[in-house]
Short mmCIF file of all heavy atoms in Angstrom, two decimals:
data_model
loop_
_atom_site.label_atom_id
_atom_site.label_comp_id
_atom_site.label_asym_id
_atom_site.label_seq_id
_atom_site.Cartn_x
_atom_site.Cartn_y
_atom_site.Cartn_z
N GLU A 16 -39.79 -38.51 -8.26
CA GLU A 16 -40.52 -37.49 -9.00
C GLU A 16 -41.95 -37.98 -9.30
O GLU A 16 -42.16 -39.18 -9.50
CB GLU A 16 -39.83 -37.17 -10.32
CG GLU A 16 -38.49 -36.47 -10.17
CD GLU A 16 -38.63 -35.00 -9.83
OE1 GLU A 16 -39.77 -34.52 -9.68
OE2 GLU A 16 -37.59 -34.34 -9.70
N TYR A 47 -52.57 -27.12 -2.13
CA TYR A 47 -52.21 -27.27 -0.72
C TYR A 47 -53.29 -26.68 0.19
O TYR A 47 -53.76 -27.35 1.12
CB TYR A 47 -50.86 -26.59 -0.46
CG TYR A 47 -50.39 -26.71 0.98
CD1 TYR A 47 -49.70 -27.83 1.41
CD2 TYR A 47 -50.64 -25.69 1.90
CE1 TYR A 47 -49.27 -27.95 2.72
CE2 TYR A 47 -50.21 -25.79 3.21
CZ TYR A 47 -49.52 -26.92 3.62
OH TYR A 47 -49.10 -27.04 4.92
N THR A 248 -32.88 -40.06 -3.03
CA THR A 248 -33.00 -38.63 -3.35
C THR A 248 -31.76 -37.87 -2.92
O THR A 248 -31.23 -37.03 -3.67
CB THR A 248 -34.25 -38.04 -2.68
OG1 THR A 248 -35.40 -38.79 -3.07
CG2 THR A 248 -34.45 -36.59 -3.08
N LEU A 249 -31.26 -38.14 -1.72
CA LEU A 249 -30.05 -37.46 -1.26
C LEU A 249 -28.84 -37.82 -2.12
O LEU A 249 -28.04 -36.95 -2.50
CB LEU A 249 -29.77 -37.81 0.20
CG LEU A 249 -30.67 -37.12 1.23
CD1 LEU A 249 -30.50 -37.77 2.61
CD2 LEU A 249 -30.36 -35.62 1.31
N HIS A 252 -28.78 -36.00 -5.35
CA HIS A 252 -28.63 -34.54 -5.24
C HIS A 252 -27.40 -34.25 -4.38
O HIS A 252 -27.53 -33.84 -3.22
CB HIS A 252 -29.89 -33.91 -4.63
CG HIS A 252 -31.11 -34.04 -5.48
ND1 HIS A 252 -31.88 -35.19 -5.52
CD2 HIS A 252 -31.68 -33.16 -6.35
CE1 HIS A 252 -32.88 -35.00 -6.36
NE2 HIS A 252 -32.79 -33.79 -6.88
N ASP A 254 -25.22 -31.95 -4.18
CA ASP A 254 -25.06 -30.61 -3.60
C ASP A 254 -25.88 -30.47 -2.32
O ASP A 254 -25.42 -29.86 -1.33
CB ASP A 254 -25.49 -29.54 -4.63
CG ASP A 254 -26.92 -29.73 -5.11
OD1 ASP A 254 -27.40 -30.89 -5.16
OD2 ASP A 254 -27.56 -28.71 -5.44
N GLN A 255 -27.08 -31.06 -2.31
CA GLN A 255 -27.92 -31.01 -1.11
C GLN A 255 -27.37 -31.93 -0.02
O GLN A 255 -27.40 -31.61 1.16
CB GLN A 255 -29.36 -31.39 -1.46
CG GLN A 255 -30.01 -30.49 -2.50
CD GLN A 255 -30.01 -29.02 -2.07
OE1 GLN A 255 -30.36 -28.71 -0.94
NE2 GLN A 255 -29.61 -28.13 -2.97
N LEU A 256 -26.87 -33.08 -0.43
CA LEU A 256 -26.26 -34.00 0.54
C LEU A 256 -25.07 -33.35 1.21
O LEU A 256 -24.86 -33.49 2.43
CB LEU A 256 -25.84 -35.28 -0.18
CG LEU A 256 -25.12 -36.35 0.66
CD1 LEU A 256 -25.95 -36.76 1.86
CD2 LEU A 256 -24.78 -37.56 -0.21
N ARG A 258 -24.66 -30.24 1.86
CA ARG A 258 -25.16 -29.28 2.85
C ARG A 258 -25.52 -29.97 4.17
O ARG A 258 -25.29 -29.44 5.25
CB ARG A 258 -26.38 -28.54 2.30
CG ARG A 258 -26.05 -27.56 1.19
CD ARG A 258 -27.32 -26.92 0.64
NE ARG A 258 -27.02 -25.79 -0.25
CZ ARG A 258 -27.93 -25.07 -0.87
NH1 ARG A 258 -29.22 -25.37 -0.71
NH2 ARG A 258 -27.58 -24.07 -1.64
N VAL A 259 -26.09 -31.16 4.07
CA VAL A 259 -26.45 -31.91 5.28
C VAL A 259 -25.19 -32.38 5.99
O VAL A 259 -25.08 -32.32 7.22
CB VAL A 259 -27.35 -33.11 4.93
CG1 VAL A 259 -27.66 -33.93 6.19
CG2 VAL A 259 -28.65 -32.62 4.29
N ALA A 264 -27.01 -30.53 12.12
CA ALA A 264 -28.21 -29.89 12.67
C ALA A 264 -29.23 -29.60 11.56
O ALA A 264 -30.40 -29.32 11.85
CB ALA A 264 -27.83 -28.59 13.37
N ARG A 265 -28.79 -29.69 10.31
CA ARG A 265 -29.71 -29.47 9.19
C ARG A 265 -30.55 -30.70 8.86
O ARG A 265 -31.48 -30.63 8.06
CB ARG A 265 -28.93 -29.07 7.94
CG ARG A 265 -28.27 -27.70 8.05
CD ARG A 265 -27.33 -27.45 6.87
NE ARG A 265 -26.80 -26.09 6.88
CZ ARG A 265 -25.79 -25.67 6.12
NH1 ARG A 265 -25.20 -26.52 5.28
NH2 ARG A 265 -25.37 -24.42 6.18
N LEU A 266 -30.21 -31.83 9.47
CA LEU A 266 -30.89 -33.07 9.09
C LEU A 266 -32.40 -33.05 9.34
O LEU A 266 -33.16 -33.47 8.46
CB LEU A 266 -30.24 -34.27 9.80
CG LEU A 266 -30.78 -35.65 9.42
CD1 LEU A 266 -30.69 -35.88 7.92
CD2 LEU A 266 -30.02 -36.74 10.16
N PRO A 267 -32.89 -32.60 10.50
CA PRO A 267 -34.36 -32.58 10.68
C PRO A 267 -35.08 -31.78 9.61
O PRO A 267 -36.13 -32.20 9.10
CB PRO A 267 -34.54 -31.96 12.07
CG PRO A 267 -33.28 -32.32 12.80
CD PRO A 267 -32.20 -32.22 11.76
N GLY A 268 -34.52 -30.62 9.23
CA GLY A 268 -35.13 -29.83 8.15
C GLY A 268 -35.05 -30.55 6.82
O GLY A 268 -35.99 -30.48 6.01
N ALA A 269 -33.92 -31.25 6.60
CA ALA A 269 -33.77 -32.01 5.36
C ALA A 269 -34.80 -33.14 5.29
O ALA A 269 -35.32 -33.45 4.20
CB ALA A 269 -32.36 -32.59 5.27
N ILE A 270 -35.12 -33.74 6.42
CA ILE A 270 -36.12 -34.81 6.45
C ILE A 270 -37.49 -34.26 6.09
O ILE A 270 -38.25 -34.89 5.33
CB ILE A 270 -36.12 -35.50 7.82
CG1 ILE A 270 -34.85 -36.36 7.96
CG2 ILE A 270 -37.37 -36.37 8.00
CD1 ILE A 270 -34.62 -36.91 9.34
N GLU A 271 -37.83 -33.07 6.60
CA GLU A 271 -39.12 -32.47 6.24
C GLU A 271 -39.17 -32.18 4.74
O GLU A 271 -40.22 -32.37 4.09
CB GLU A 271 -39.35 -31.18 7.03
CG GLU A 271 -39.52 -31.40 8.52
CD GLU A 271 -40.57 -32.44 8.86
OE1 GLU A 271 -41.72 -32.33 8.37
OE2 GLU A 271 -40.25 -33.38 9.61
N GLU A 272 -38.04 -31.75 4.18
CA GLU A 272 -38.00 -31.50 2.74
C GLU A 272 -38.12 -32.80 1.95
O GLU A 272 -38.79 -32.86 0.92
CB GLU A 272 -36.72 -30.74 2.36
CG GLU A 272 -36.48 -30.58 0.87
CD GLU A 272 -37.49 -29.68 0.14
OE1 GLU A 272 -38.57 -29.38 0.72
OE2 GLU A 272 -37.21 -29.29 -1.00
N LEU A 273 -37.48 -33.87 2.44
CA LEU A 273 -37.63 -35.17 1.80
C LEU A 273 -39.09 -35.62 1.83
O LEU A 273 -39.63 -36.10 0.83
CB LEU A 273 -36.75 -36.22 2.50
CG LEU A 273 -35.26 -36.18 2.18
CD1 LEU A 273 -34.49 -37.08 3.15
CD2 LEU A 273 -34.99 -36.62 0.74
N LEU A 274 -39.73 -35.47 2.98
CA LEU A 274 -41.13 -35.88 3.11
C LEU A 274 -42.02 -35.08 2.15
O LEU A 274 -42.96 -35.62 1.56
CB LEU A 274 -41.60 -35.69 4.55
CG LEU A 274 -40.99 -36.66 5.57
CD1 LEU A 274 -41.27 -36.20 7.00
CD2 LEU A 274 -41.53 -38.08 5.37
N ARG A 275 -41.72 -33.79 1.99
CA ARG A 275 -42.48 -32.97 1.05
C ARG A 275 -42.23 -33.41 -0.39
O ARG A 275 -43.15 -33.55 -1.19
CB ARG A 275 -42.07 -31.49 1.20
CG ARG A 275 -42.82 -30.54 0.24
CD ARG A 275 -42.16 -29.17 0.15
NE ARG A 275 -40.94 -29.20 -0.66
CZ ARG A 275 -40.92 -29.06 -1.99
NH1 ARG A 275 -42.06 -28.92 -2.67
NH2 ARG A 275 -39.77 -29.08 -2.65
N TYR A 276 -40.97 -33.65 -0.69
CA TYR A 276 -40.55 -33.82 -2.08
C TYR A 276 -40.89 -35.20 -2.65
O TYR A 276 -41.37 -35.31 -3.78
CB TYR A 276 -39.03 -33.59 -2.15
CG TYR A 276 -38.47 -33.50 -3.55
CD1 TYR A 276 -38.70 -32.38 -4.34
CD2 TYR A 276 -37.67 -34.51 -4.07
CE1 TYR A 276 -38.16 -32.28 -5.61
CE2 TYR A 276 -37.13 -34.43 -5.33
CZ TYR A 276 -37.38 -33.31 -6.11
OH TYR A 276 -36.85 -33.21 -7.37
N ILE A 277 -40.66 -36.26 -1.86
CA ILE A 277 -40.84 -37.60 -2.43
C ILE A 277 -42.28 -38.09 -2.30
O ILE A 277 -42.71 -38.93 -3.09
CB ILE A 277 -39.89 -38.63 -1.79
CG1 ILE A 277 -40.11 -38.74 -0.28
CG2 ILE A 277 -38.45 -38.26 -2.09
CD1 ILE A 277 -39.20 -39.76 0.40
N THR A 310 -48.85 -35.66 -3.25
CA THR A 310 -47.77 -35.40 -4.21
C THR A 310 -47.91 -34.01 -4.81
O THR A 310 -46.93 -33.25 -4.88
CB THR A 310 -47.79 -36.45 -5.32
OG1 THR A 310 -47.54 -37.73 -4.75
CG2 THR A 310 -46.74 -36.17 -6.37
N LEU A 311 -49.11 -33.66 -5.25
CA LEU A 311 -49.31 -32.38 -5.92
C LEU A 311 -49.49 -31.23 -4.92
O LEU A 311 -49.01 -30.12 -5.16
CB LEU A 311 -50.51 -32.47 -6.87
CG LEU A 311 -50.25 -33.35 -8.09
CD1 LEU A 311 -51.52 -33.64 -8.86
CD2 LEU A 311 -49.22 -32.70 -9.01
N ALA A 312 -50.16 -31.49 -3.80
CA ALA A 312 -50.31 -30.44 -2.78
C ALA A 312 -48.95 -30.02 -2.24
O ALA A 312 -48.72 -28.84 -1.95
CB ALA A 312 -51.21 -30.93 -1.66
N ASN A 313 -48.04 -30.98 -2.10
CA ASN A 313 -46.71 -30.69 -1.57
C ASN A 313 -45.85 -29.91 -2.56
O ASN A 313 -44.80 -29.38 -2.18
CB ASN A 313 -45.98 -31.99 -1.22
CG ASN A 313 -46.55 -32.66 0.01
OD1 ASN A 313 -47.38 -32.09 0.72
ND2 ASN A 313 -46.10 -33.88 0.28
N ARG A 314 -46.29 -29.86 -3.82
CA ARG A 314 -45.52 -29.13 -4.85
C ARG A 314 -46.38 -28.02 -5.45
O ARG A 314 -46.26 -27.70 -6.63
CB ARG A 314 -45.06 -30.10 -5.94
CG ARG A 314 -44.02 -31.11 -5.45
CD ARG A 314 -43.66 -32.07 -6.56
NE ARG A 314 -42.62 -33.02 -6.15
CZ ARG A 314 -41.52 -33.27 -6.85
NH1 ARG A 314 -41.31 -32.63 -7.99
NH2 ARG A 314 -40.63 -34.15 -6.42
N ASP A 315 -47.22 -27.43 -4.64
CA ASP A 315 -48.11 -26.37 -5.08
C ASP A 315 -47.32 -25.06 -5.17
O ASP A 315 -46.89 -24.52 -4.14
CB ASP A 315 -49.26 -26.23 -4.08
CG ASP A 315 -50.30 -25.21 -4.50
OD1 ASP A 315 -50.04 -24.46 -5.47
OD2 ASP A 315 -51.37 -25.15 -3.86
N ASP A 316 -47.14 -24.55 -6.39
CA ASP A 316 -46.32 -23.34 -6.53
C ASP A 316 -47.03 -22.08 -6.06
O ASP A 316 -46.44 -20.99 -6.06
CB ASP A 316 -45.82 -23.18 -7.98
CG ASP A 316 -46.94 -23.16 -9.00
OD1 ASP A 316 -48.10 -22.94 -8.60
OD2 ASP A 316 -46.64 -23.33 -10.20
N GLN A 317 -48.29 -22.21 -5.65
CA GLN A 317 -48.98 -21.10 -5.00
C GLN A 317 -48.54 -20.96 -3.54
O GLN A 317 -48.80 -19.94 -2.90
CB GLN A 317 -50.50 -21.29 -5.07
CG GLN A 317 -51.06 -21.36 -6.47
CD GLN A 317 -50.86 -20.06 -7.22
OE1 GLN A 317 -51.18 -18.98 -6.70
NE2 GLN A 317 -50.34 -20.13 -8.44
N VAL A 318 -47.91 -22.01 -3.03
CA VAL A 318 -47.54 -22.05 -1.61
C VAL A 318 -46.03 -22.20 -1.42
O VAL A 318 -45.45 -21.62 -0.51
CB VAL A 318 -48.28 -23.22 -0.90
CG1 VAL A 318 -47.81 -23.39 0.54
CG2 VAL A 318 -49.78 -23.00 -0.95
N HIS A 319 -45.40 -22.99 -2.30
CA HIS A 319 -43.97 -23.28 -2.17
C HIS A 319 -43.18 -22.57 -3.26
O HIS A 319 -43.51 -22.69 -4.45
CB HIS A 319 -43.71 -24.79 -2.28
CG HIS A 319 -44.40 -25.61 -1.25
ND1 HIS A 319 -45.63 -26.21 -1.47
CD2 HIS A 319 -44.05 -25.94 0.02
CE1 HIS A 319 -46.00 -26.87 -0.40
NE2 HIS A 319 -45.07 -26.72 0.53
N LEU A 320 -42.14 -21.84 -2.87
CA LEU A 320 -41.22 -21.26 -3.85
C LEU A 320 -40.41 -22.40 -4.47
O LEU A 320 -39.99 -23.32 -3.78
CB LEU A 320 -40.28 -20.27 -3.17
CG LEU A 320 -40.92 -19.01 -2.58
CD1 LEU A 320 -39.88 -18.21 -1.79
CD2 LEU A 320 -41.52 -18.15 -3.68
N ARG A 321 -40.20 -22.31 -5.78
CA ARG A 321 -39.45 -23.36 -6.49
C ARG A 321 -39.94 -24.75 -6.07
O ARG A 321 -39.19 -25.60 -5.62
CB ARG A 321 -37.95 -23.22 -6.20
CG ARG A 321 -37.34 -21.90 -6.63
CD ARG A 321 -35.90 -21.70 -6.15
NE ARG A 321 -35.87 -21.43 -4.70
CZ ARG A 321 -35.51 -22.31 -3.79
NH1 ARG A 321 -35.14 -23.54 -4.13
NH2 ARG A 321 -35.49 -21.99 -2.51
N ALA A 322 -41.25 -24.94 -6.20
CA ALA A 322 -41.93 -26.11 -5.65
C ALA A 322 -41.36 -27.44 -6.11
O ALA A 322 -41.43 -28.44 -5.39
CB ALA A 322 -43.42 -26.05 -5.98
N HIS A 323 -40.78 -27.47 -7.31
CA HIS A 323 -40.29 -28.74 -7.86
C HIS A 323 -38.79 -28.93 -7.63
O HIS A 323 -38.21 -29.87 -8.17
CB HIS A 323 -40.62 -28.83 -9.35
CG HIS A 323 -42.10 -28.91 -9.61
ND1 HIS A 323 -42.80 -30.09 -9.54
CD2 HIS A 323 -43.01 -27.94 -9.89
CE1 HIS A 323 -44.08 -29.85 -9.80
NE2 HIS A 323 -44.23 -28.56 -10.01
N GLU A 324 -38.18 -28.07 -6.83
CA GLU A 324 -36.77 -28.20 -6.51
C GLU A 324 -36.61 -28.84 -5.13
O GLU A 324 -37.36 -28.53 -4.20
CB GLU A 324 -36.07 -26.83 -6.51
CG GLU A 324 -35.87 -26.24 -7.89
CD GLU A 324 -35.09 -24.94 -7.83
OE1 GLU A 324 -34.29 -24.76 -6.87
OE2 GLU A 324 -35.29 -24.09 -8.72
N PHE A 325 -35.62 -29.69 -5.01
CA PHE A 325 -35.27 -30.30 -3.73
C PHE A 325 -34.22 -29.42 -3.06
O PHE A 325 -33.12 -29.26 -3.58
CB PHE A 325 -34.73 -31.72 -3.96
CG PHE A 325 -34.27 -32.41 -2.70
CD1 PHE A 325 -35.15 -32.65 -1.65
CD2 PHE A 325 -32.95 -32.82 -2.56
CE1 PHE A 325 -34.73 -33.28 -0.49
CE2 PHE A 325 -32.52 -33.47 -1.41
CZ PHE A 325 -33.41 -33.69 -0.37
N ASP A 326 -34.58 -28.82 -1.93
CA ASP A 326 -33.70 -27.86 -1.26
C ASP A 326 -33.76 -28.10 0.24
O ASP A 326 -34.75 -27.77 0.90
CB ASP A 326 -34.15 -26.43 -1.59
CG ASP A 326 -33.28 -25.37 -0.92
OD1 ASP A 326 -32.30 -25.74 -0.23
OD2 ASP A 326 -33.59 -24.17 -1.07
N VAL A 327 -32.70 -28.68 0.80
CA VAL A 327 -32.71 -29.04 2.22
C VAL A 327 -32.66 -27.83 3.13
O VAL A 327 -32.90 -27.95 4.34
CB VAL A 327 -31.54 -29.99 2.56
CG1 VAL A 327 -31.66 -31.29 1.79
CG2 VAL A 327 -30.18 -29.32 2.31
N LEU A 328 -32.38 -26.64 2.58
CA LEU A 328 -32.34 -25.42 3.39
C LEU A 328 -33.62 -24.60 3.27
O LEU A 328 -33.71 -23.54 3.89
CB LEU A 328 -31.13 -24.56 2.99
CG LEU A 328 -29.74 -25.19 3.18
CD1 LEU A 328 -28.65 -24.18 2.84
CD2 LEU A 328 -29.57 -25.70 4.60
N ARG A 329 -34.57 -25.06 2.50
CA ARG A 329 -35.78 -24.26 2.32
C ARG A 329 -36.52 -24.12 3.65
O ARG A 329 -36.49 -25.01 4.51
CB ARG A 329 -36.69 -24.85 1.25
CG ARG A 329 -37.48 -26.06 1.63
CD ARG A 329 -38.68 -26.29 0.70
NE ARG A 329 -38.33 -26.55 -0.69
CZ ARG A 329 -38.74 -25.78 -1.69
NH1 ARG A 329 -39.52 -24.74 -1.45
NH2 ARG A 329 -38.39 -26.08 -2.93
N GLU A 330 -37.19 -23.00 3.80
CA GLU A 330 -37.96 -22.74 5.02
C GLU A 330 -39.42 -23.18 4.87
O GLU A 330 -40.06 -23.52 5.86
CB GLU A 330 -37.89 -21.26 5.37
CG GLU A 330 -36.47 -20.80 5.73
CD GLU A 330 -36.42 -19.34 6.11
OE1 GLU A 330 -37.48 -18.68 6.09
OE2 GLU A 330 -35.31 -18.84 6.43
N ASP A 331 -39.92 -23.18 3.63
CA ASP A 331 -41.33 -23.54 3.42
C ASP A 331 -41.45 -25.04 3.14
O ASP A 331 -41.88 -25.48 2.08
CB ASP A 331 -41.94 -22.73 2.27
CG ASP A 331 -41.15 -22.84 0.97
OD1 ASP A 331 -39.97 -23.24 1.02
OD2 ASP A 331 -41.71 -22.53 -0.09
N THR A 332 -41.07 -25.85 4.15
CA THR A 332 -41.11 -27.31 3.98
C THR A 332 -42.45 -27.90 4.38
O THR A 332 -42.60 -29.12 4.41
CB THR A 332 -40.02 -27.98 4.84
OG1 THR A 332 -40.20 -27.59 6.21
CG2 THR A 332 -38.63 -27.61 4.37
N HIS A 333 -43.44 -27.06 4.71
CA HIS A 333 -44.73 -27.59 5.14
C HIS A 333 -45.30 -28.53 4.06
O HIS A 333 -45.21 -28.25 2.87
CB HIS A 333 -45.73 -26.48 5.47
CG HIS A 333 -45.63 -25.28 4.59
ND1 HIS A 333 -44.78 -24.23 4.85
CD2 HIS A 333 -46.25 -24.97 3.43
CE1 HIS A 333 -44.90 -23.33 3.90
NE2 HIS A 333 -45.78 -23.75 3.02
N HIS A 334 -45.85 -29.63 4.52
CA HIS A 334 -46.32 -30.66 3.60
C HIS A 334 -47.52 -31.39 4.20
O HIS A 334 -47.86 -31.21 5.37
CB HIS A 334 -45.20 -31.66 3.30
CG HIS A 334 -44.65 -32.34 4.52
ND1 HIS A 334 -45.29 -33.39 5.15
CD2 HIS A 334 -43.52 -32.11 5.26
CE1 HIS A 334 -44.58 -33.78 6.19
NE2 HIS A 334 -43.50 -33.02 6.29
N LEU A 335 -48.15 -32.20 3.36
CA LEU A 335 -49.31 -32.98 3.79
C LEU A 335 -49.03 -34.47 3.74
O LEU A 335 -49.96 -35.28 3.70
CB LEU A 335 -50.52 -32.65 2.89
CG LEU A 335 -51.02 -31.21 2.95
CD1 LEU A 335 -52.19 -31.02 1.99
CD2 LEU A 335 -51.44 -30.83 4.36
#
Side-chain angles (χ1 to χ4, degrees):
E16 292 283 2
Y47 181 85
T248 304
L249 285 168
H252 294 81
D254 57 329
Q255 301 303 313
L256 177 57
R258 289 177 169 179
V259 177
R265 293 171 174 168
L266 184 56
I270 288 170
E271 294 308 307
E272 173 67 345
L273 283 169
L274 290 167
R275 180 194 75 86
Y276 190 73
I277 60 179
T310 297
L311 290 169
N313 288 351
R314 293 177 177 231
D315 184 350
D316 56 17
Q317 299 296 310
V318 174
H319 300 94
L320 295 173
R321 299 171 287 104
H323 294 277
E324 288 184 27
F325 177 61
D326 180 3
V327 298
L328 299 184
R329 76 160 62 239
E330 295 181 0
D331 55 342
T332 57
H333 36 272
H334 58 79
L335 296 178

